[in-house]
Amino acid sequence: MEKTDKSSVKVPKGTRDWVGADIKIRDRIFTAASDAFARHGGVALDTPVFELKNILSGKYGEDSKLIYELADQGGAIARGRMREFYQCDFDIAGEYDAMIPDAEILRIVHEVFSSLGLAKDVTVKINHRKILDGLFAVAGVPDDKIRTISSAVDKLDKLSREEVKKEMLEKGLDGSVADEILEWTKYSGDIPKILELLKNNEKMFANEKIKKGIEEMSLLHTYLDAFQIADQVSFDLALARGLDYYTGLIYEAVIELTAKDRSAETRVGSIAAGGRYDNLVGMYGRKQIPCVGISFGVDRIFTILKARHEKEKQRVRGSDVFVMAFGGKNGLLAERMGIARVLWDAGISAEFSPKAKPRLPQQFKAAETGGVPLAVIIGEDELKAGKVKIKVMGLPEGHPEKEGKLIEKTDLAAECKRLLAEDAKQLNGETPISN
């Protein structure tokens, strides 16, 4: 058998292993998204991790470089900056009155990031393809260059205005046209402010596409106000979303980080994005079905949450309970197993040291390292009295229950569930754990 070079044992480029606390954080994102989707009547759909080449080709314009071809196993491809990544998508398909589903999608964005404790740091930028295309047309962009110029404008969050202008000139645009586009893309703010700006410009307001876009964005503002999220979006005329298939509202959620929070690990770009794509379904030879949707970039959101956990030294919860023994014959192994069984039967995750006679400090160390919130400590005298000690891990010095409290063994599962519910609130920033 050929020997394996230990230095070569690594995951393929563009992929990663998930383990321990990282999976806990990732699953929290999945839960936040799936709970919000279910509240809004979503029907679950799980799609393959890769698609046939002809399904994706030609739909991404100049962003086609984000498609990776896996030619070694039959030519299937997957897309993304990583070759393996997670997304959570919510789409509404069908004929509905203007902007109603679009507004609900933005409400879902708010709910997901609120659940993750990120709402105050996330800015949701919005724009409308009709307004953007109309703006380009009024500025003097030829019809056959609108998509390629849109792709250049989409880079304003990554490149300087001078670099974007250079790209537009290289694509054959006149300098004065590029300057006018760049001037308009400086504007952002609340929806009424930008709509007023467009209405007050005679050239812009005379364009039929812009008029239609203004009408729809005005409706959207009314609905967002009803959902109490109108003040949480920014109408940004620089938002272009370079993908070719968008036909109406477009949006992108970005995380706003303070200078001290920025690092190579947290500069991840948009963490959710989407828009209206009314003509995409018909491209596949099916009936034309209007659609609007959002994609949450799980890996990018994970990067932000993990950085925040590490910076704030937040605990990521492991098992619910660590069952420990203090003294006793044979380390009370059978008794520890029995307590763990009671907790498992009650649906509570629990673990214990796989040693017959573990030392108490070693057991506490294992619980602390694993992020376990509760310890159940058993001793011979307590067991004879039908009692166990339950201790909340990490309580400050001077807390009346720093050393734990004795409870009836028969009350153990119920008390653990009560304390775990309080611990969950603490992890979500709702309330400190108490007795």
Side-chain angles (χ1 to χ4, degrees):
M1 181 182 290
E2 185 179 345
K3 265 192 168 181
T4 301
D5 178 6
K6 290 184 179 180
S7 66
S8 69
V9 181
K10 57 184 180 180
V11 299
K13 184 178 180 181
T15 67
R16 57 163 297 168
D17 284 331
W18 293 88
V19 66
D22 287 358
I23 290 181
K24 295 278 186 180
I25 296 172
R26 188 191 68 187
D27 287 350
R28 185 181 166 205
I29 301 168
F30 287 152
T31 298
S34 59
D35 286 354
F37 297 171
R39 280 194 299 272
H40 290 262
V43 177
L45 170 67
D46 197 354
T47 58
V49 296
F50 48 83
E51 295 284 357
L52 296 174
K53 184 174 183 178
N54 66 310
I55 297 293
L56 298 182
S57 296
K59 310 302 187 302
Y60 294 91
E62 295 184 12
D63 281 339
S64 291
K65 64 182 179 294
L66 302 181
I67 297 175
Y68 292 91
E69 184 165 355
L70 308 178
D72 58 330
Q73 292 292 330
I77 59 175
R79 69 178 178 87
R81 284 175 174 80
M82 290 189 71
R83 296 176 182 179
E84 178 187 55
F85 66 101
Y86 287 96
Q87 278 188 189
C88 290
D89 298 0
F90 188 93
D91 297 89
I92 300 175
E95 297 276 359
Y96 300 100
D97 289 344
M99 307 311 286
I100 296 174
D102 311 62
E104 186 171 2
I105 292 284
L106 293 174
R107 172 67 197 187
I108 289 170
V109 175
H110 166 74
E111 290 179 14
V112 171
F113 289 125
S114 291
S115 295
L116 295 172
L118 294 174
K120 68 180 185 302
D121 302 311
V122 169
T123 297
V124 180
K125 299 179 180 180
I126 64 173
N127 201 353
H128 200 296
R129 284 311 297 241
K130 289 185 175 72
I131 290 175
L132 196 62
D133 290 353
L135 189 154
F136 290 162
V138 172
V141 179
D143 287 347
D144 63 348
K145 291 188 181 295
I146 282 181
R147 284 294 173 261
T148 189
I149 296 304
S150 179
S151 178
V153 170
D154 191 45
K155 298 172 185 174
L156 280 169
D157 62 336
K158 307 176 189 72
L159 304 177
S160 69
R161 291 184 169 270
E162 291 73 22
E163 289 171 311
V164 171
K165 180 178 178 179
K166 180 183 177 184
E167 181 174 331
M168 287 194 283
L169 296 180
E170 288 171 351
K171 290 177 174 179
L173 210 60
D174 185 77
S176 62
V177 175
D179 287 339
E180 184 169 357
I181 290 170
L182 290 172
E183 183 62 32
W184 276 100
T185 55
K186 290 178 181 177
Y187 295 110
S188 64
D190 60 51
I191 295 175
K193 171 188 169 184
I194 303 302
L195 291 182
E196 194 64 25
L197 186 72
L198 292 166
K199 289 176 183 177
N200 288 339
N201 185 285
E202 190 176 339
K203 281 198 311 179
M204 290 296 169
F205 197 53
N207 181 275
E208 289 303 316
K209 283 187 176 180
I210 291 178
K211 275 186 180 177
K212 183 62 176 175
I214 287 174
E215 178 186 328
E216 292 189 355
M217 291 298 270
S218 181
L219 262 181
L220 179 70
H221 181 259
T222 300
Y223 301 149
L224 296 183
D225 194 47
F227 287 148
Q228 295 189 339
I229 56 169
D231 60 343
Q232 295 171 40
V233 300
S234 174
F235 192 169
D236 191 334
L237 292 178
L239 179 65
R241 301 291 299 148
L243 304 183
D244 285 355
Y245 52 73
Y246 288 122
T247 58
L249 183 70
I250 52 176
Y251 33 80
E252 185 172 277
V254 296
I255 193 89
E256 297 294 330
L257 297 170
T258 61
K260 65 179 180 180
D261 288 333
R262 293 192 186 104
S263 67
E265 290 74 31
T266 55
R267 289 196 295 269
V268 297
S270 65
I271 55 178
R276 175 159 288 282
Y277 53 101
D278 286 348
N279 301 326
L280 186 61
V281 175
M283 291 182 182
Y284 301 104
R286 300 171 182 270
K287 177 185 174 183
Q288 199 65 270
I289 302 174
C291 301
V292 62
I294 181 76
S295 290
F296 292 89
V298 174
D299 298 79
R300 293 181 173 196
I301 299 170
F302 165 83
T303 299
I304 297 296
L305 289 179
K306 183 174 182 180
R308 182 161 296 186
H309 273 79
E310 291 173 349
K311 175 178 175 290
E312 298 177 4
K313 295 182 169 54
Q314 294 178 3
R315 172 173 55 84
V316 178
R317 190 155 94 182
S319 297
D320 295 330
V321 180
F322 200 104
V323 182
M324 308 180 185
F326 179 67
K329 187 178 179 181
N330 295 324
L332 298 174
L333 177 58
E335 290 80 0
R336 283 185 283 138
M337 289 178 168
I339 293 290
R341 174 190 54 76
V342 169
L343 295 171
W344 294 334
D345 287 346
I348 299 169
S349 63
E351 56 183 298
F352 56 90
S353 172
K355 293 187 175 182
K357 294 183 178 180
R359 296 171 55 201
L360 193 60
Q362 292 173 334
Q363 295 174 85
F364 271 112
K365 180 69 174 176
E368 290 166 358
T369 303
V372 181
L374 299 179
V376 171
I377 307 167
I378 60 174
E380 284 186 327
D381 292 341
E382 289 83 0
L383 287 174
K384 286 176 184 176
K387 296 180 182 295
V388 295
K389 180 180 281 190
I390 189 165
K391 171 179 167 62
V392 175
M393 300 291 289
L395 290 178
E397 292 295 335
H399 192 284
E401 293 187 358
K402 172 70 175 173
E403 302 304 318
K405 65 177 181 180
L406 282 173
I407 63 169
E408 296 293 330
K409 183 180 174 182
T410 52
D411 296 334
L412 177 60
E415 182 64 9
C416 283
K417 287 181 178 179
R418 184 185 73 81
L419 291 171
L420 289 168
E422 293 192 6
D423 183 64
K425 290 180 181 179
Q426 182 197 37
L427 288 179
N428 290 332
E430 295 176 31
T431 181
I433 193 165
S434 67
N435 57 4

